[in-house]
Amino acid sequence: MTALIDLNGKRGLVVGVANDASIAAGCARAFRAAGAELALTYLNEKARPWVEPVAKAVDSTVFLPCDVREPGQLEAVFERIDSEWGRLDFLLHAIAFAPREDLHTSVVNASSEGFGMAMDVSCHSFLRMARLARPLMTEGGALITVSFYGADRVVENYNLMGPVKAALESSVRYVAADLADEGIRAFSLSAGPVKTRAASGIERFDELLDQVRARTPSGRLVSTDEIGHLAAFLASNAAAPMSGSVVYADNGFHTTA
Ligand code: NAD
């Protein structure tokens, strides 16, 4: 991959690689191509064989398990980054989860437990990461999460994840304001639909891809590598005047009616 952005000398944490097709994998490739040194995590031992090739391909120097619902695992990742690097320049939070029965129904029917779990894994974990990253971002930094247009408009079958992503995008604005005087910036990178493992949990996802393609001015969907280049830009000094924004990587889909 050709580097469009310079991240030489920067160190970043990438959370959310499930396999080669993950949005986080495209981002990790772009970060590495731009010169960054990376720490990657995997969900658990079952996931590890799928994540390891990505970690190797990006020469990841830290590779640890991280299930944000397992007490202490996220903390352990940041402790290791502290002992290994002593600082952190950027992180990518690219994780989401909702119980199937709550995702495959109207938001009206979503259970309190399911809603809470989706919010915890997909949104509150970003706040926890921001809290843990803050003391390590001694020279400022960038906190990037991945959102979707369903935060802003009703997208058929996106259901419960709509309000969860809306909360995530709002959290980003508050984090950006709270940490601004420490030189820490925060972004929602709103990606167009991509066929990933998480996406396969959304009902009739192939139809969504067709609808989005048809409404996108160029008629093209985005690739994970293209999303990655934009993430690398947000992590770079070139994006220094930006913070708190929702940045769309969707070939202009969100601008159409
Ligand atoms: P993916 O399945 O490749 O990645 C989802 C990741 O979430 C996996 O690595 C999984 O291990 C992780 N995860 C789930 N529960 C976790 C937990 N308890 N602790 C730690 N990690 C956990 O799918 P993806 O599409 O690349 O998803 C990445 C992000 O991009 C998600 O936030 C998703 O909502 C968002 N997004 C996806 C699309 C799309 O169309 N694929 C579009 C816009 C935004």
Side-chain angles (χ1 to χ4, degrees), residues 28-121:
R29 286 191 290 269
F31 293 145
R32 183 64 187 147
E37 188 176 349
L38 298 177
L40 258 67
T41 67
Y42 53 95
L43 182 65
N44 51 33
E45 283 307 312
K46 202 173 148 207
R48 184 179 177 145
W50 302 97
V51 186
E52 209 149 29
V54 179
K56 286 211 173 98
V58 300
D59 310 308
S60 168
T61 45
V62 176
F63 187 56
L64 289 172
C66 180
D67 181 335
V68 297
R69 291 189 58 83
E70 286 293 325
Q73 280 199 355
L74 192 56
E75 288 75 8
V77 169
F78 283 87
E79 278 162 24
R80 176 72 182 282
I81 286 172
D82 190 15
S83 64
E84 197 83 14
W85 294 339
R87 66 160 228 276
L88 186 68
D89 299 299
F90 63 91
L91 71 75
L92 178 81
H93 169 279
I95 68 174
F97 177 78
R100 199 178 170 82
E101 59 277 20
D102 294 293
L103 184 60
H104 289 188
T105 185
S106 158
V107 287
V108 173
N109 300 325
S111 71
S112 170
E113 296 74 24
F115 194 90
M117 191 185 291
M119 281 292 267
D120 184 50
V121 173

Coordinates of all heavy atoms in Angstrom, one line a residue, residues 28-121:
A28 N -5.2 -0.5 10.2 CA -3.8 -0.9 10.7 C -2.9 -0.9 9.5 O -1.7 -0.4 9.6 CB -3.9 -2.3 11.3
R29 N -3.3 -1.4 8.3 CA -2.4 -1.4 7.2 C -2.0 0.0 6.8 O -0.8 0.3 6.5 CB -3.1 -2.1 6.0 CG -3.1 -3.6 6.1 CD -3.5 -4.3 4.8 NE -4.9 -4.1 4.5 CZ -5.9 -4.9 4.9 NH1 -5.7 -5.9 5.6 NH2 -7.2 -4.6 4.5
A30 N -3.0 0.9 6.8 CA -2.7 2.3 6.4 C -1.8 3.0 7.4 O -0.9 3.8 7.1 CB -4.0 3.1 6.2
F31 N -2.1 2.7 8.7 CA -1.2 3.3 9.8 C 0.2 2.9 9.6 O 1.2 3.7 9.7 CB -1.7 2.9 11.2 CG -3.0 3.4 11.6 CD1 -3.9 2.6 12.4 CD2 -3.4 4.7 11.3 CE1 -5.1 3.1 12.9 CE2 -4.7 5.2 11.7 CZ -5.5 4.4 12.5
R32 N 0.4 1.6 9.3 CA 1.7 1.0 9.2 C 2.4 1.5 7.9 O 3.6 1.9 8.0 CB 1.7 -0.5 9.2 CG 3.0 -1.2 9.1 CD 3.8 -0.9 10.3 NE 5.1 -1.4 10.2 CZ 6.2 -0.8 10.8 NH1 6.0 0.3 11.5 NH2 7.4 -1.4 10.7
A33 N 1.7 1.6 6.8 CA 2.2 2.1 5.6 C 2.7 3.6 5.8 O 3.7 4.0 5.1 CB 1.2 2.0 4.5
A34 N 2.1 4.3 6.7 CA 2.4 5.7 7.0 C 3.6 5.8 7.9 O 4.1 6.9 8.3 CB 1.2 6.4 7.5
G35 N 4.0 4.6 8.5 CA 5.2 4.6 9.3 C 5.0 4.4 10.8 O 5.9 4.4 11.6
A36 N 3.7 4.3 11.2 CA 3.5 4.1 12.7 C 3.9 2.8 13.2 O 3.9 1.8 12.4 CB 2.0 4.3 12.9
E37 N 4.2 2.7 14.5 CA 4.4 1.5 15.2 C 3.1 1.1 15.9 O 2.5 2.0 16.5 CB 5.6 1.7 16.2 CG 6.0 0.4 16.9 CD 7.2 0.6 17.8 OE1 7.8 1.7 17.8 OE2 7.5 -0.3 18.5
L38 N 2.7 -0.2 15.8 CA 1.4 -0.5 16.3 C 1.3 -1.6 17.4 O 2.1 -2.5 17.4 CB 0.5 -1.0 15.1 CG 0.3 0.0 13.9 CD1 -0.4 -0.6 12.8 CD2 -0.4 1.3 14.4
A39 N 0.3 -1.4 18.2 CA -0.2 -2.4 19.1 C -1.5 -2.9 18.6 O -2.4 -2.1 18.3 CB -0.3 -1.9 20.5
L40 N -1.7 -4.2 18.5 CA -3.0 -4.8 18.1 C -3.6 -5.7 19.2 O -2.8 -6.3 20.0 CB -2.9 -5.6 16.8 CG -3.3 -4.9 15.5 CD1 -2.4 -3.8 15.2 CD2 -3.3 -5.9 14.4
T41 N -4.9 -5.8 19.3 CA -5.5 -6.7 20.2 C -6.4 -7.7 19.5 O -6.8 -7.5 18.3 CB -6.4 -6.0 21.3 OG1 -7.5 -5.4 20.6 CG2 -5.6 -4.9 22.0
Y42 N -6.7 -8.8 20.1 CA -7.6 -9.8 19.6 C -8.6 -10.1 20.7 O -8.3 -10.0 21.9 CB -6.9 -11.1 19.2 CG -5.9 -11.7 20.2 CD1 -6.4 -12.7 21.0 CD2 -4.7 -11.2 20.4 CE1 -5.6 -13.3 22.0 CE2 -3.8 -11.8 21.3 CZ -4.3 -12.8 22.1 OH -3.4 -13.4 23.1
L43 N -9.8 -10.5 20.3 CA -10.9 -10.7 21.3 C -10.6 -11.8 22.3 O -10.8 -11.6 23.5 CB -12.2 -11.0 20.6 CG -13.4 -11.1 21.4 CD1 -13.8 -9.8 22.2 CD2 -14.7 -11.6 20.6
N44 N -10.2 -13.0 21.8 CA -9.9 -14.1 22.7 C -9.1 -15.2 21.9 O -8.8 -15.0 20.8 CB -11.3 -14.7 23.2 CG -12.3 -15.0 22.1 OD1 -11.9 -15.3 21.0 ND2 -13.5 -14.8 22.4
E45 N -8.9 -16.3 22.5 CA -8.1 -17.3 21.9 C -8.7 -17.9 20.6 O -8.0 -18.2 19.7 CB -7.8 -18.5 22.9 CG -6.7 -18.2 23.9 CD -5.4 -17.6 23.3 OE1 -4.9 -18.2 22.4 OE2 -4.9 -16.6 23.8
K46 N -10.0 -17.9 20.6 CA -10.7 -18.4 19.4 C -10.5 -17.4 18.2 O -10.3 -17.8 17.0 CB -12.2 -18.5 19.7 CG -13.0 -19.4 18.8 CD -14.4 -19.6 19.2 CE -15.3 -19.8 18.0 NZ -16.7 -19.3 18.2
A47 N -10.4 -16.1 18.5 CA -10.2 -15.1 17.5 C -8.8 -15.0 17.0 O -8.5 -14.6 15.9 CB -10.7 -13.8 18.0
R48 N -7.9 -15.3 17.9 CA -6.4 -15.1 17.7 C -5.9 -15.5 16.4 O -5.1 -14.7 15.7 CB -5.6 -15.7 18.9 CG -4.2 -15.4 18.8 CD -3.4 -16.0 20.0 NE -2.0 -15.7 19.9 CZ -1.2 -15.5 20.8 NH1 -1.6 -15.5 22.1 NH2 0.1 -15.2 20.6
P49 N -6.1 -16.7 15.9 CA -5.6 -17.2 14.6 C -6.0 -16.3 13.4 O -5.2 -16.3 12.4 CB -6.1 -18.6 14.5 CG -6.6 -19.0 15.8 CD -7.0 -17.8 16.5
W50 N -7.1 -15.6 13.5 CA -7.5 -14.8 12.4 C -6.9 -13.4 12.5 O -6.8 -12.7 11.5 CB -9.1 -14.6 12.5 CG -9.8 -16.0 12.4 CD1 -10.2 -16.7 13.4 CD2 -10.0 -16.7 11.2 NE1 -10.8 -17.9 13.0 CE2 -10.6 -17.9 11.6 CE3 -9.7 -16.5 9.8 CZ2 -11.0 -18.9 10.7 CZ3 -10.1 -17.5 8.9 CH2 -10.8 -18.7 9.4
V51 N -6.5 -13.0 13.7 CA -6.0 -11.7 13.9 C -4.5 -11.7 13.7 O -3.9 -10.7 13.3 CB -6.4 -11.1 15.3 CG1 -5.9 -9.7 15.5 CG2 -7.9 -11.2 15.5
E52 N -3.9 -12.8 14.1 CA -2.4 -12.9 14.1 C -1.8 -12.5 12.8 O -0.8 -11.8 12.7 CB -2.0 -14.3 14.6 CG -0.6 -14.3 15.3 CD -0.5 -15.4 16.3 OE1 -1.2 -16.4 16.2 OE2 0.2 -15.2 17.3
P53 N -2.3 -13.0 11.6 CA -1.7 -12.7 10.3 C -1.7 -11.2 10.1 O -0.8 -10.6 9.5 CB -2.5 -13.4 9.3 CG -3.2 -14.5 10.1 CD -3.4 -14.0 11.5
V54 N -2.8 -10.5 10.5 CA -2.8 -9.0 10.4 C -1.8 -8.4 11.2 O -1.1 -7.5 10.8 CB -4.3 -8.5 10.7 CG1 -4.3 -7.0 10.6 CG2 -5.3 -9.2 9.9
A55 N -1.7 -8.9 12.5 CA -0.7 -8.3 13.4 C 0.7 -8.5 12.8 O 1.6 -7.5 12.9 CB -0.8 -9.0 14.8
K56 N 1.0 -9.6 12.2 CA 2.3 -9.9 11.6 C 2.5 -9.0 10.4 O 3.6 -8.4 10.3 CB 2.4 -11.3 11.2 CG 2.6 -12.3 12.4 CD 3.4 -13.5 12.0 CE 3.7 -14.4 13.2 NZ 2.8 -15.5 13.3
A57 N 1.5 -8.8 9.6 CA 1.7 -8.0 8.4 C 2.0 -6.6 8.7 O 2.6 -5.9 7.9 CB 0.4 -8.1 7.5
V58 N 1.5 -6.1 9.9 CA 1.8 -4.7 10.2 C 2.9 -4.6 11.3 O 3.1 -3.5 11.9 CB 0.5 -4.0 10.7 CG1 -0.6 -4.0 9.6 CG2 -0.1 -4.6 12.0
D59 N 3.6 -5.7 11.4 CA 4.8 -5.7 12.4 C 4.4 -5.2 13.8 O 5.2 -4.5 14.4 CB 5.9 -4.8 11.8 CG 6.3 -5.1 10.4 OD1 6.5 -6.3 10.1 OD2 6.3 -4.2 9.6
S60 N 3.2 -5.6 14.2 CA 2.8 -5.2 15.5 C 3.7 -5.6 16.6 O 4.1 -6.7 16.7 CB 1.4 -5.8 15.8 OG 1.0 -5.7 17.1
T61 N 4.2 -4.6 17.5 CA 5.1 -4.9 18.5 C 4.5 -5.3 19.8 O 5.1 -5.8 20.7 CB 6.1 -3.7 18.7 OG1 5.4 -2.5 18.7 CG2 7.1 -3.6 17.6
V62 N 3.2 -5.0 20.0 CA 2.4 -5.4 21.1 C 1.2 -6.1 20.6 O 0.5 -5.6 19.7 CB 2.0 -4.2 22.0 CG1 1.1 -4.6 23.1 CG2 3.2 -3.4 22.5
F63 N 0.9 -7.3 21.1 CA -0.2 -8.1 20.6 C -0.8 -8.8 21.9 O -0.2 -9.7 22.4 CB 0.3 -9.2 19.6 CG -0.8 -9.9 18.9 CD1 -1.8 -9.3 18.2 CD2 -0.8 -11.3 18.9 CE1 -2.8 -10.0 17.6 CE2 -1.8 -12.1 18.3 CZ -2.8 -11.4 17.6
L64 N -2.0 -8.3 22.3 CA -2.6 -8.8 23.5 C -4.1 -9.1 23.4 O -4.7 -8.5 22.5 CB -2.4 -7.7 24.6 CG -1.0 -7.4 25.1 CD1 -1.1 -6.2 26.0 CD2 -0.5 -8.6 25.9
P65 N -4.6 -10.0 24.2 CA -6.1 -10.2 24.2 C -6.8 -9.0 24.8 O -6.3 -8.3 25.7 CB -6.3 -11.4 25.1 CG -5.1 -11.4 26.0 CD -3.9 -10.8 25.3
C66 N -8.0 -8.7 24.3 CA -8.8 -7.6 24.9 C -10.2 -7.8 24.5 O -10.7 -7.5 23.4 CB -8.3 -6.2 24.3 SG -9.3 -4.9 25.1
D67 N -11.0 -8.3 25.5 CA -12.4 -8.3 25.5 C -12.8 -7.2 26.5 O -12.5 -7.3 27.7 CB -12.9 -9.7 25.9 CG -14.5 -9.8 25.9 OD1 -15.1 -8.7 26.0 OD2 -15.0 -10.9 25.8
V68 N -13.4 -6.2 26.0 CA -13.7 -5.0 26.9 C -14.7 -5.4 28.0 O -14.9 -4.6 28.9 CB -14.2 -3.8 26.1 CG1 -13.1 -3.3 25.1 CG2 -15.5 -4.0 25.4
R69 N -15.4 -6.5 27.9 CA -16.3 -7.0 28.9 C -15.6 -7.8 30.0 O -16.2 -8.2 31.0 CB -17.5 -7.8 28.3 CG -18.3 -6.8 27.5 CD -19.6 -7.4 27.1 NE -20.5 -7.9 28.2 CZ -21.3 -7.2 28.9 NH1 -21.4 -5.9 28.7 NH2 -22.0 -7.8 29.8
E70 N -14.3 -8.1 29.8 CA -13.5 -8.9 30.8 C -12.8 -7.9 31.7 O -11.9 -7.2 31.2 CB -12.5 -9.8 30.1 CG -13.1 -11.0 29.4 CD -13.7 -12.0 30.4 OE1 -13.1 -12.2 31.5 OE2 -14.7 -12.6 30.0
P71 N -13.2 -7.9 33.0 CA -12.5 -7.0 33.9 C -11.0 -7.0 33.8 O -10.4 -8.1 33.8 CB -13.1 -7.4 35.3 CG -14.3 -8.2 35.0 CD -14.1 -8.8 33.7
G72 N -10.4 -5.9 33.7 CA -8.9 -5.8 33.8 C -8.2 -6.0 32.4 O -7.0 -5.6 32.3
Q73 N -8.9 -6.5 31.4 CA -8.1 -6.7 30.1 C -7.8 -5.4 29.4 O -6.6 -5.3 28.9 CB -9.0 -7.6 29.2 CG -8.8 -9.1 29.6 CD -9.3 -10.1 28.5 OE1 -9.7 -9.7 27.4 NE2 -9.1 -11.3 28.7
L74 N -8.7 -4.5 29.4 CA -8.4 -3.2 28.7 C -7.2 -2.5 29.5 O -6.3 -2.0 28.9 CB -9.6 -2.4 28.6 CG -9.6 -1.1 27.7 CD1 -9.2 -1.5 26.3 CD2 -10.9 -0.4 27.8
E75 N -7.4 -2.5 30.8 CA -6.3 -1.9 31.6 C -5.0 -2.5 31.4 O -3.9 -1.8 31.3 CB -6.7 -2.0 33.1 CG -7.8 -1.2 33.6 CD -9.2 -1.7 33.2 OE1 -9.3 -2.8 32.6 OE2 -10.2 -1.0 33.4
A76 N -5.0 -3.9 31.2 CA -3.7 -4.6 31.0 C -3.0 -4.1 29.7 O -1.8 -4.0 29.6 CB -3.9 -6.1 31.0
V77 N -3.9 -3.9 28.7 CA -3.3 -3.4 27.4 C -2.6 -2.1 27.5 O -1.5 -1.9 27.1 CB -4.5 -3.3 26.3 CG1 -4.0 -2.6 25.1 CG2 -5.1 -4.7 26.0
F78 N -3.2 -1.2 28.3 CA -2.6 0.2 28.5 C -1.4 0.1 29.4 O -0.4 0.8 29.2 CB -3.7 1.2 28.9 CG -4.6 1.6 27.8 CD1 -5.7 0.9 27.5 CD2 -4.3 2.7 27.1 CE1 -6.5 1.3 26.5 CE2 -5.1 3.1 26.0 CZ -6.2 2.4 25.7
E79 N -1.4 -0.8 30.4 CA -0.2 -1.0 31.2 C 0.9 -1.5 30.4 O 2.1 -1.0 30.5 CB -0.5 -2.0 32.3 CG -1.3 -1.4 33.5 CD -1.9 -2.4 34.4 OE1 -1.5 -3.6 34.4 OE2 -2.9 -2.1 35.1
R80 N 0.7 -2.4 29.5 CA 1.7 -2.9 28.6 C 2.3 -1.8 27.7 O 3.5 -1.7 27.5 CB 1.2 -4.1 27.8 CG 2.1 -4.7 26.8 CD 3.3 -5.5 27.5 NE 4.2 -5.9 26.5 CZ 4.0 -7.0 25.7 NH1 2.9 -7.7 25.9 NH2 4.8 -7.4 24.8
I81 N 1.4 -1.0 27.1 CA 1.8 0.1 26.3 C 2.6 1.1 27.1 O 3.7 1.5 26.6 CB 0.6 0.8 25.6 CG1 0.0 -0.1 24.5 CG2 0.9 2.1 25.1 CD1 -1.4 0.3 24.0
D82 N 2.3 1.3 28.3 CA 3.0 2.2 29.1 C 4.5 1.6 29.4 O 5.4 2.3 29.2 CB 2.3 2.4 30.5 CG 2.9 3.5 31.3 OD1 3.7 4.3 30.8 OD2 2.6 3.5 32.5
S83 N 4.5 0.3 29.7 CA 5.9 -0.2 30.0 C 6.7 -0.4 28.7 O 7.9 -0.2 28.7 CB 5.7 -1.6 30.7 OG 5.1 -2.5 29.9
E84 N 6.0 -0.6 27.6 CA 6.7 -0.9 26.3 C 7.2 0.5 25.6 O 8.3 0.6 25.2 CB 5.8 -1.6 25.3 CG 6.5 -2.3 24.1 CD 7.1 -3.6 24.5 OE1 6.8 -4.2 25.5 OE2 7.9 -4.1 23.7
W85 N 6.2 1.4 25.6 CA 6.5 2.6 24.8 C 6.5 3.9 25.7 O 7.1 4.9 25.3 CB 5.3 2.9 23.8 CG 5.3 1.9 22.7 CD1 6.3 1.0 22.3 CD2 4.1 1.6 21.9 NE1 5.8 0.3 21.2 CE2 4.5 0.6 20.9 CE3 2.8 2.1 21.8 CZ2 3.7 0.1 20.0 CZ3 2.0 1.6 20.8 CH2 2.4 0.6 19.9
G86 N 5.9 3.8 26.9 CA 5.8 5.0 27.8 C 4.9 6.1 27.3 O 4.7 7.1 28.0
R87 N 4.4 6.0 26.1 CA 3.4 7.0 25.6 C 2.6 6.4 24.4 O 2.9 5.3 23.9 CB 4.1 8.3 25.1 CG 5.1 8.1 24.0 CD 5.3 9.5 23.3 NE 5.1 9.5 21.9 CZ 6.1 9.1 21.1 NH1 7.3 8.8 21.5 NH2 5.9 9.1 19.8
L88 N 1.6 7.1 24.0 CA 0.7 6.7 22.9 C 0.3 7.9 22.1 O 0.1 9.0 22.7 CB -0.5 6.0 23.5 CG -1.5 5.4 22.5 CD1 -0.8 4.1 21.9 CD2 -2.8 4.9 23.2
D89 N 0.3 7.8 20.8 CA 0.0 9.0 20.0 C -1.5 8.9 19.4 O -2.1 9.9 19.2 CB 1.0 9.1 18.8 CG 2.4 9.3 19.3 OD1 2.6 10.3 20.0 OD2 3.2 8.4 19.1
F90 N -2.0 7.7 19.2 CA -3.3 7.6 18.7 C -3.9 6.2 19.0 O -3.2 5.3 19.3 CB -3.4 7.9 17.1 CG -2.7 6.9 16.3 CD1 -3.3 5.7 15.8 CD2 -1.3 7.0 16.0 CE1 -2.6 4.8 15.0 CE2 -0.6 6.1 15.2 CZ -1.3 5.0 14.7
L91 N -5.2 6.1 19.0 CA -5.9 4.8 19.1 C -7.1 4.8 18.1 O -7.7 5.8 17.9 CB -6.2 4.5 20.5 CG -7.3 5.2 21.3 CD1 -8.7 4.7 20.8 CD2 -7.2 4.9 22.7
L92 N -7.3 3.5 17.7 CA -8.5 3.3 16.9 C -9.4 2.3 17.6 O -9.0 1.2 18.0 CB -8.2 2.6 15.5 CG -9.4 2.3 14.7 CD1 -9.9 3.5 14.0 CD2 -9.1 1.2 13.7
H93 N -10.6 2.8 17.9 CA -11.7 1.9 18.6 C -12.6 1.5 17.4 O -13.3 2.4 16.9 CB -12.4 2.8 19.6 CG -13.6 2.3 20.2 ND1 -14.8 2.3 19.6 CD2 -13.8 1.7 21.4 CE1 -15.7 1.8 20.4 NE2 -15.2 1.4 21.5
A94 N -12.5 0.2 17.0 CA -13.4 -0.2 15.9 C -14.1 -1.5 16.4 O -14.0 -2.5 15.8 CB -12.5 -0.5 14.7
I95 N -14.9 -1.3 17.4 CA -15.6 -2.5 18.0 C -17.1 -2.2 18.2 O -17.5 -1.0 18.5 CB -15.0 -3.0 19.3 CG1 -15.2 -2.1 20.4 CG2 -13.5 -3.3 19.1 CD1 -14.7 -2.6 21.8
A96 N -17.9 -3.2 18.0 CA -19.3 -3.0 18.2 C -19.9 -4.4 18.5 O -19.4 -5.4 18.0 CB -20.0 -2.4 17.0
F97 N -21.0 -4.4 19.3 CA -21.7 -5.6 19.5 C -23.1 -5.3 20.0 O -23.3 -4.4 20.7 CB -21.0 -6.5 20.6 CG -21.7 -7.7 21.0 CD1 -21.7 -8.8 20.1 CD2 -22.5 -7.8 22.1 CE1 -22.4 -10.0 20.4 CE2 -23.3 -8.9 22.4 CZ -23.2 -10.0 21.5
A98 N -24.1 -6.2 19.5 CA -25.4 -6.1 20.1 C -25.9 -7.6 20.0 O -25.7 -8.3 19.1 CB -26.3 -5.2 19.2
P99 N -26.6 -8.0 21.1 CA -27.2 -9.3 21.0 C -28.2 -9.5 19.8 O -28.9 -8.6 19.6 CB -28.0 -9.4 22.4 CG -27.4 -8.4 23.2 CD -27.0 -7.3 22.3
R100 N -28.1 -10.6 19.2 CA -28.8 -10.8 17.9 C -30.3 -10.6 18.1 O -30.9 -9.9 17.2 CB -28.6 -12.3 17.5 CG -28.9 -12.6 16.1 CD -28.5 -14.1 15.8 NE -29.0 -14.5 14.5 CZ -28.4 -14.2 13.4 NH1 -27.2 -13.6 13.4 NH2 -28.9 -14.6 12.3
E101 N -30.9 -11.1 19.2 CA -32.4 -10.9 19.3 C -32.8 -9.5 19.5 O -33.9 -9.1 19.1 CB -32.9 -11.8 20.5 CG -32.4 -11.6 21.8 CD -31.0 -12.2 22.1 OE1 -30.3 -12.6 21.2 OE2 -30.7 -12.4 23.3
D102 N -31.9 -8.7 20.0 CA -32.2 -7.2 20.2 C -31.9 -6.4 18.9 O -32.5 -5.4 18.7 CB -31.4 -6.7 21.4 CG -31.8 -7.3 22.7 OD1 -33.0 -7.1 23.1 OD2 -31.0 -8.1 23.3
L103 N -31.0 -6.9 18.1 CA -30.6 -6.3 16.9 C -31.6 -6.5 15.8 O -31.9 -5.7 14.9 CB -29.2 -6.7 16.4 CG -28.6 -6.1 15.2 CD1 -28.4 -4.6 15.4 CD2 -27.2 -6.7 14.9
H104 N -32.2 -7.8 15.8 CA -33.1 -8.2 14.8 C -34.6 -7.9 15.1 O -35.4 -8.7 14.8 CB -32.9 -9.7 14.5 CG -31.6 -10.0 13.8 ND1 -31.3 -11.2 13.3 CD2 -30.6 -9.2 13.5 CE1 -30.1 -11.2 12.8 NE2 -29.6 -10.0 12.9
T105 N -34.8 -6.8 15.8 CA -36.2 -6.4 16.1 C -36.3 -4.9 16.1 O -35.2 -4.2 16.1 CB -36.6 -7.0 17.4 OG1 -38.0 -6.7 17.7 CG2 -35.8 -6.5 18.6
S106 N -37.5 -4.4 16.1 CA -37.7 -2.9 16.2 C -37.0 -2.4 17.5 O -37.0 -3.1 18.5 CB -39.2 -2.6 16.3 OG -39.4 -1.4 16.9
V107 N -36.5 -1.2 17.5 CA -35.9 -0.6 18.7 C -36.9 -0.6 19.9 O -36.6 -0.7 21.0 CB -35.4 0.8 18.5 CG1 -34.1 0.9 17.7 CG2 -36.5 1.7 17.9
V108 N -38.2 -0.6 19.5 CA -39.3 -0.6 20.5 C -39.2 -1.8 21.4 O -39.6 -1.8 22.5 CB -40.6 -0.4 19.8 CG1 -41.8 -0.6 20.8 CG2 -40.7 0.9 19.1
N109 N -38.7 -2.9 20.8 CA -38.7 -4.2 21.5 C -37.4 -4.5 22.1 O -37.3 -5.6 22.8 CB -39.0 -5.4 20.5 CG -40.4 -5.2 19.9 OD1 -41.3 -4.7 20.5 ND2 -40.5 -5.6 18.6
A110 N -36.4 -3.7 21.9 CA -35.0 -4.0 22.4 C -35.1 -4.1 24.0 O -35.7 -3.3 24.6 CB -34.0 -3.0 22.0
S111 N -34.5 -5.2 24.5 CA -34.5 -5.3 25.9 C -33.5 -4.4 26.6 O -32.5 -3.9 26.0 CB -34.0 -6.8 26.3 OG -32.7 -6.9 26.0
S112 N -33.8 -4.1 27.9 CA -32.9 -3.2 28.6 C -31.5 -3.8 28.7 O -30.5 -3.1 28.5 CB -33.5 -3.1 30.0 OG -32.6 -2.4 30.9
E113 N -31.4 -5.2 28.9 CA -30.1 -5.8 29.0 C -29.3 -5.7 27.7 O -28.1 -5.4 27.7 CB -30.2 -7.3 29.4 CG -30.9 -7.6 30.7 CD -32.4 -7.3 30.8 OE1 -33.0 -7.3 29.7 OE2 -32.9 -7.0 31.9
G114 N -30.1 -6.0 26.6 CA -29.4 -6.0 25.3 C -29.0 -4.6 24.9 O -27.8 -4.4 24.4
F115 N -29.8 -3.6 25.2 CA -29.5 -2.2 24.9 C -28.2 -1.8 25.7 O -27.3 -1.2 25.2 CB -30.6 -1.3 25.2 CG -30.5 0.1 24.7 CD1 -31.0 0.4 23.4 CD2 -29.9 1.1 25.4 CE1 -30.9 1.7 22.9 CE2 -29.7 2.4 24.9 CZ -30.2 2.7 23.6
G116 N -28.2 -2.2 27.0 CA -27.1 -1.9 27.9 C -25.8 -2.5 27.4 O -24.8 -1.9 27.4
M117 N -25.9 -3.8 27.0 CA -24.7 -4.5 26.5 C -24.2 -3.8 25.3 O -22.9 -3.6 25.1 CB -25.0 -5.9 26.3 CG -23.7 -6.7 26.1 SD -24.0 -8.5 25.7 CE -24.7 -9.1 27.2
A118 N -25.0 -3.5 24.3 CA -24.6 -2.8 23.1 C -23.9 -1.5 23.4 O -22.9 -1.2 22.8 CB -25.8 -2.6 22.1
M119 N -24.5 -0.8 24.3 CA -23.9 0.5 24.7 C -22.6 0.4 25.4 O -21.7 1.1 25.1 CB -24.9 1.3 25.6 CG -26.0 2.0 24.9 SD -25.5 3.3 23.9 CE -25.7 4.7 25.1
D120 N -22.5 -0.6 26.2 CA -21.3 -0.9 27.0 C -20.1 -1.2 26.0 O -19.0 -0.6 26.1 CB -21.5 -2.0 28.0 CG -20.2 -2.2 28.8 OD1 -19.7 -1.2 29.4 OD2 -19.8 -3.3 29.0
V121 N -20.3 -2.2 25.1 CA -19.3 -2.7 24.3 C -19.0 -1.6 23.1 O -17.8 -1.4 22.8 CB -19.6 -4.0 23.6 CG1 -18.6 -4.4 22.6 CG2 -19.8 -5.1 24.7

